[in-house]
Amino acid sequence: MYEHILVPTDGSDVAEAAVDHALDLAEKYDAEVHALYVVDIDSVNYSLGTEQVDRLKQGRFDEMGELKEQADEATGVVAERGAERGVAIVEHVSGGRPHKVIGDYAENHDIDLIVMGSHGRAGVRRALLGSVTERTLRSTHVPVLVVDYLDED
């Protein structure tokens, strides 16, 4: 049923809960998991210079220091957990508007299912869904499994 599962991640607790669901499904269906970290160009536009934003748009993340470290850490968690469970993982970092990058990635990589958190690190939690999750649901034809995270503390 599922051969390629996409899990967008920002390293937040709710994203990591989505990773667990994606890996469970990947084990069950012998699927490959794609871990995608999206640098939101609109969010970083104000804190970075024009040259750095241009690098992000071109996909040149190796020169981005802290942003690159955050991206590598977030997708690295998926890769580590996948390796522990024998699941093939593809790591990818991209820049742009997150919902658009997620939708384009899904379309261009024959993704069968997107598994994502109900909200991420950025902003105040909305009543139902985070803006990236909501926009992804509205802008793709790929099925989306939305995972929430309940803090046990």
Side-chain angles (χ1 to χ4, degrees):
M1 177 172 238
Y2 303 118
E3 293 180 30
H4 306 280
I5 299 170
L6 173 60
V7 60
T9 183
D10 61 3
S12 64
D13 289 338
V14 72
E16 290 192 19
V19 168
D20 290 337
H21 282 272
L23 292 174
D24 285 347
L25 288 166
E27 277 185 310
K28 180 175 181 169
Y29 292 104
D30 193 29
E32 177 180 74
V33 172
H34 294 245
L36 175 64
Y37 183 96
V38 181
V39 177
D40 186 345
I41 298 293
D42 292 339
S43 292
V44 298
N45 227 352
Y46 300 109
S47 62
L48 299 177
T50 306
E51 184 178 321
Q52 289 175 313
V53 171
D54 288 342
R55 284 185 194 144
L56 289 173
K57 288 179 180 176
Q58 296 168 6
R60 294 173 28 208
F61 297 97
D62 291 335
E63 306 167 27
M64 297 310 298
E66 189 177 325
L67 278 175
K68 177 66 172 153
E69 288 175 25
Q70 289 173 358
D72 288 344
E73 184 177 333
T75 62
V77 166
V78 181
E80 288 171 18
R81 289 185 183 174
E84 291 170 1
R85 297 168 85 163
V87 173
I89 305 293
V90 175
E91 294 179 76
H92 187 78
V93 179
S94 190
R97 295 183 136 184
H99 72 281
K100 178 141 177 47
V101 173
I102 292 166
D104 290 347
Y105 188 95
E107 186 176 316
N108 294 333
H109 292 87
D110 296 323
I111 298 298
D112 304 302
L113 177 68
I114 300 169
V115 181
M116 62 190 303
S118 57
H119 60 283
R121 289 188 191 274
V124 177
R125 182 175 176 179
R126 286 187 167 191
L128 295 175
L129 295 176
S131 61
V132 173
T133 304
E134 184 178 343
R135 288 180 181 143
T136 300
L137 284 166
R138 294 177 191 273
S139 64
T140 185
H141 297 291
V142 175
V144 180
L145 172 61
V146 179
V147 177
D148 199 2
Y149 169 78
L150 298 175
D151 191 359
E152 304 286 321
D153 295 337

